[in-house]
Amino acid sequence: MEKERLGVIFGGMSTENEVSVVSANSVIKNLDREKYEIYPIYIDKNGIWYEYSDLQEERKLGEKVDKKNRISDLIGYLKKLDILFPILHGLYGEDGTIQGLFEISQIPYVGCGVLASSVGMDKLICKKVFSQIGLRAEYEYVRKYNEKYIYMDSKFNEQVMTLDGMVEKIFKNLKFPMFIKPSNSGSSVGINKAKSKGELKQAIE
């Protein structure tokens, strides 16, 4: 039986590049070599794509990725493969962007499609969708705005506030302990737990 040509894509431009490399190493070690011809593909933090020699050895988090050759004709390279397996974490990997590339290139891939990926990656939008089917989680959404912050209410109305004023507003609506997390990130990057106003302020900063 002819083997399927499987492209395993890892690395990426997010803060979780190194986590993705370790994940891909584990996946590749456990793939069925009798069924698949494996093509490891590494994306560096600048978005440059490389052919990578087989990820077989144990890898530690943060270990430098070498043994790679830049791919000059990316779409042509991907189209020679039968299926793509993205082992990418965070932005540009789990948020629907790379899934869109696969879709317009008409290459089969593993995982969720564009819409599910983009909605699932954004915690604010995901909670809004969940609330429509009766799944609720209490939360507050804020973002940085110059030297101040923008507070967004449940109807998407925005208000510019100081950090201290925003902390007081959040404290009125939520109870401690609180978890503070980036709206668009994964692998628990940037998550903090606050048990007081001071810790909440520090975590937001």
Side-chain angles (χ1 to χ4, degrees):
M1 183 177 71
E2 188 176 351
K3 295 181 181 180
E4 286 191 282
R5 292 163 296 183
L6 174 65
V8 179
I9 303 173
F10 58 97
M13 294 189 290
S14 81
T15 57
E16 299 158 76
N17 178 290
E18 291 88 356
V19 179
S20 171
V21 174
V22 175
S23 297
N25 181 71
S26 178
V27 168
I28 289 173
K29 283 198 307 181
N30 289 283
L31 286 170
D32 186 349
R33 302 296 171 126
E34 297 297 318
K35 185 175 181 180
Y36 300 109
E37 184 178 346
I38 301 165
Y39 292 78
I41 302 167
Y42 173 67
I43 306 173
D44 72 11
K45 292 181 180 180
N46 296 312
I48 300 173
W49 295 56
Y50 296 90
E51 288 183 288
Y52 190 80
S53 60
D54 207 352
L55 272 173
Q56 291 275 15
E57 71 281 1
E58 290 295 328
R59 295 194 65 87
K60 296 179 181 178
L61 191 63
E63 189 175 339
K64 184 180 178 181
V65 174
D66 48 18
K67 301 179 184 177
K68 60 186 189 289
N69 295 307
R70 186 166 181 171
I71 299 172
S72 56
D73 176 12
L74 176 59
I75 301 301
Y77 184 89
L78 295 179
K79 278 184 170 291
K80 76 177 184 180
L81 304 174
D82 297 310
I83 188 166
L84 301 173
F85 191 170
I87 314 292
L88 296 161
H89 301 306
L91 296 176
Y92 311 110
E94 293 180 292
D95 61 355
T97 51
I98 202 162
Q99 289 79 10
L101 172 64
F102 300 156
E103 292 280 355
I104 63 174
S105 302
Q106 298 182 311
I107 306 168
Y109 60 95
V110 174
C112 298
V114 175
L115 181 60
S117 298
S118 59
V119 170
M121 185 67 194
D122 189 294
K123 295 177 181 67
L124 175 65
I125 301 302
C126 196
K127 290 179 188 298
K128 292 292 184 185
V129 172
F130 284 169
S131 69
Q132 295 301 304
I133 58 172
L135 297 173
R136 289 196 55 79
E138 298 303 319
Y139 68 93
E140 298 289 316
Y141 176 79
V142 301
R143 71 175 189 269
K144 191 78 185 293
Y145 179 72
N146 296 327
E147 296 304 312
K148 294 187 177 181
Y149 290 83
I150 288 179
Y151 171 86
M152 181 186 289
D153 68 19
S154 60
K155 296 185 190 281
F156 286 91
N157 297 309
E158 295 184 341
Q159 181 180 356
V160 178
M161 307 183 75
T162 64
L163 179 57
D164 288 329
M166 193 176 62
V167 165
E168 289 299 326
K169 191 171 187 68
I170 293 170
F171 179 64
K172 289 180 181 179
N173 298 329
L174 298 178
K175 298 186 184 306
F176 290 112
M178 300 179 196
F179 290 90
I180 299 85
K181 56 179 70 176
S183 180
N184 262 299
S185 189
S187 299
S188 300
V189 173
I191 293 181
N192 290 283
K193 181 179 180 180
K195 294 179 283 187
S196 67
K197 291 181 183 179
E199 290 181 354
L200 175 60
K201 181 178 178 180
Q202 185 177 22
I204 291 172
E205 288 180 308

